[in-house]
Amino acid sequence: MSKIEIRNHPKYSNVFISGPQERLRLYTKNLIEGKRVYGEKLISYKGIEYREWDPYRSKIAALILENPLTNLFSDNLSCLYLGASSGTTISHLSDIIHSGIIYGVEFAERSMRQLIQNSSKRQNIIPILADARFPENYAKYIFTSVDLIYQDVAQPRQAEIALENCKYYLKDDGMLIIAIKSQSIDSIKKSERVYAEEKRILEKAGLNIVESVNIHKYAANHIVLIVKKGTI
Ligand SMILES: C[S@@+](CC[C@H](N)C(=O)[O-])C[C@H]1O[C@@H](n2cnc3c(N)ncnc32)[C@H](O)[C@@H]1O
């Protein structure tokens, strides 16, 4: 019997926490009971199974621990996830957005095979083998515009890729969350200069950067931007 006491996160829907404020642990309710995705801890509390969410393996978990002001989730969002890899973070989003839908785009075949295995029982994940640089190529799989685009592709031209996908798929009142890895864009320029340049590209295209959150504590050389399309 676990001694861990799990409670609702005070701010983000369907995210759960344990422990004191300075050492919070994060959890999501396991949509597929008994199944782990990446070796995470499963914890039963008051008859409900939770999966521990590791901020060193997931930049959205790191973002949440940095406590952004924006309300990030609700039960039934539609989401386009660019850079789904083998399924670590997307599986937690699938727990959170349990009545919504997540299109998971990944271009590496090996990761895609693992993603398909890891998400086969999760009916709200649609894995798509495609290159996020060419959003027109997956239009046939995505039936409506989405509420949320999350991008974590570790590529050069991260802002441009996000912009293209927003143009195709993001609702006018939708939100973009983008993890920017400075080393993937330019390994010589100082991180701060790379971040400033990526922000400038997004703003020049008319997007509003609502929050810029440094997650260096959990992922070296990364920030996460929370971005809205229209004026707020
Ligand atoms: C940092 S990993 C993503 C980790 C994942 N978001 C998670 O937290 O579970 C980056 C992923 O983006 C994928 N990727 C990179 N460029 C891509 C592109 N142009 N289109 C689709 N996937 C891409 C890589 O293959 C890799 O799996």
Side-chain angles (χ1 to χ4, degrees):
M1 184 59 185
S2 164
K3 289 206 186 77
I4 296 171
E5 291 192 4
I6 294 186
R7 57 196 193 275
N8 286 314
H9 193 290
K11 205 153 41 173
Y12 312 113
S13 308
N14 300 336
V15 177
F16 301 86
I17 51 179
S18 73
Q21 196 54 36
E22 62 290 356
R23 272 184 291 114
L24 275 191
R25 285 175 187 273
L26 296 180
Y27 307 88
T28 57
K29 231 185 244 183
N30 197 357
L31 202 58
I32 311 297
E33 258 188 55
K35 185 146 170 43
R36 288 184 175 81
V37 173
Y38 58 106
E40 70 279 20
K41 254 193 211 156
L42 300 183
I43 290 165
S44 281
Y45 181 68
K46 294 194 172 166
I48 294 174
E49 187 176 85
Y50 297 86
R51 300 193 299 129
E52 192 168 346
W53 195 3
D54 183 347
Y56 295 94
R57 307 272 307 264
S58 170
K59 284 146 217 157
I60 296 200
L63 171 70
I64 288 173
L65 287 179
E66 294 298 340
N67 219 3
L69 298 170
T70 312
N71 189 4
L72 301 170
F73 310 117
S74 63
D75 296 358
N76 58 358
L77 290 181
S78 52
C79 173
L80 171 61
Y81 189 124
L82 305 171
S85 193
S86 56
T88 301
T89 299
I90 202 174
S91 68
H92 287 288
L93 284 185
S94 150
D95 289 345
I96 292 171
I97 307 174
H98 51 78
S99 316
I101 187 132
I102 312 174
Y103 303 97
V105 173
E106 170 56 55
F107 76 171
E109 289 188 9
R110 187 160 170 217
S111 299
M112 178 50 66
R113 275 198 293 277
Q114 289 169 340
L115 176 64
I116 289 169
Q117 266 176 14
N118 286 333
S119 61
S120 61
K121 295 216 167 86
R122 293 180 173 269
Q123 296 195 342
N124 60 359
I125 297 183
I126 301 186
I128 300 174
L129 179 66
D131 189 329
R133 289 171 296 185
F134 306 104
E136 64 279 13
N137 288 354
Y138 36 94
K140 57 179 176 285
Y141 305 111
I142 301 181
F143 312 116
T144 55
S145 31
V146 299
D147 303 299
L148 172 67
I149 295 183
Y150 175 56
Q151 178 177 305
D152 178 20
V153 291
Q155 276 268 348
R157 297 186 59 253
Q158 286 166 34
E160 286 93 341
I161 294 171
L163 279 177
E164 280 299 305
N165 279 277
C166 286
K167 235 189 278 167
Y168 267 85
Y169 299 114
L170 190 62
K171 286 183 183 167
D172 284 343
D173 59 351
M175 181 163 67
L176 162 71
I177 302 178
I178 172 168
I180 296 186
K181 183 179 183 187
S182 60
Q183 298 288 309
S184 303
I185 294 170
D186 192 318
S187 56
I188 297 167
K189 266 194 214 159
K190 283 230 158 67
S191 294
E192 290 309 322
R193 274 185 57 203
V194 174
Y195 300 149
E197 176 60 13
E198 295 300 287
K199 286 181 194 174
R200 196 191 59 76
I201 294 169
L202 294 172
E203 284 174 335
K204 197 166 162 226
L207 300 190
N208 297 306
I209 297 175
V210 184
E211 289 187 72
S212 168
V213 181
N214 187 318
I215 58 162
H216 287 193
K217 210 160 117 192
Y218 304 99
N221 304 308
H222 278 82
I223 56 166
V224 179
L225 302 179
I226 301 174
V227 180
K228 296 241 167 121
K229 210 175 181 183
T231 41
I232 30 170

